[in-house]
Amino acid sequence: MGSRPTDAWITRNFPAIFYTHVAMTTTTQTVSRPLKNKTLAASLALIGGCFGWHRLYLHGWSDAWAWAHAIPTALGFWGVDRVLTYGQDDKLSWLLLPLLGFSIAVACLTGLLYALQTPEKWNGTYNPEADPDASAGQTHWLTIFVIILSLMVGTIAFMAGIAFSFQRFFEYQVELGLQISQ
């Protein structure tokens, strides 16, 4: 098993915006634990939120909700595969494809909620041992950029999911109406 990287190595290789330490004292030793960074959590929600990356970062590998994010996303990708394989007339893809859009939209909404939290609320929730104004909860220009991208990507994914499912539903209704009238 590898050794833990030293603080000097971490400070050299990662910007302070992503990795901040806090010393927690216990009765026997001082343990250094990295603070959870608001910008990184919002970025992870934007980039891989539909797979639960932000929850893995904030709550660890044993978080069941993080793993549950992948289920509707995988079903949505299966819907994309069915559209590419069988065409747009595949009725199962009408149900599955919007799941991908909604998963992406929910992940972007989560990224927005993370990015818009005040430093006091962020540090109180995810870094309770840190100062309420610790740098891990501060809003930076990268945080603002993540907010803008989350709004754009989330809106596009949500609207595309709604448009695809409604379009296919109404086309199906027209086809049924034509069959009945003949």
Side-chain angles (χ1 to χ4, degrees):
M1 190 175 268
S3 65
R4 187 164 183 219
T6 64
D7 287 341
W9 182 85
I10 291 171
T11 9
R12 247 189 349 262
N13 293 308
F14 296 103
I17 187 173
F18 289 126
Y19 202 89
T20 312
H21 278 84
V22 137
M24 299 184 310
T25 54
T26 62
T27 55
T28 58
Q29 62 183 356
T30 301
V31 178
S32 180
R33 172 179 136 3
L35 294 178
K36 303 296 182 184
N37 187 281
K38 176 171 78 170
T39 304
L40 181 58
S43 300
L44 287 172
L46 172 66
I47 295 167
C50 57
F51 297 107
W53 292 358
H54 58 292
R55 295 214 36 116
L56 292 174
Y57 170 68
L58 292 173
H59 303 288
W61 290 96
S62 61
D63 184 36
W65 286 109
W67 298 106
H69 278 73
I71 295 169
T73 304
L75 289 173
F77 278 121
W78 184 35
V80 170
D81 181 55
R82 290 187 64 92
V83 166
L84 295 175
T85 304
Y86 303 114
Q88 289 188 358
D89 293 332
D90 179 44
K91 291 183 178 99
L92 184 58
S93 69
W94 302 352
L95 297 173
L96 296 176
L97 191 63
L99 287 175
L100 179 62
F102 296 143
S103 296
I104 294 171
V106 167
C108 290
L109 177 64
T110 303
L112 278 171
L113 293 176
Y114 288 161
L116 292 175
Q117 282 187 7
T118 63
E120 294 81 20
K121 181 171 171 135
W122 178 265
N123 289 326
T125 304
Y126 297 106
N127 304 314
E129 67 279 352
D131 184 43
D133 290 332
S135 65
Q138 296 295 326
T139 301
H140 305 283
W141 283 107
L142 185 58
T143 315
I144 303 301
F145 185 67
V146 168
I147 290 171
I148 293 167
L149 278 179
S150 292
L151 281 170
M152 288 182 356
V153 171
T155 302
I156 290 169
F158 185 67
M159 294 304 292
I162 290 175
F164 179 80
S165 60
F166 282 175
Q167 174 190 351
R168 298 308 303 161
F169 173 74
F170 288 123
E171 287 176 1
Y172 179 69
Q173 293 297 320
V174 169
E175 289 174 8
L176 283 179
L178 290 174
Q179 287 178 354
I180 291 174
S181 68
Q182 290 178 357

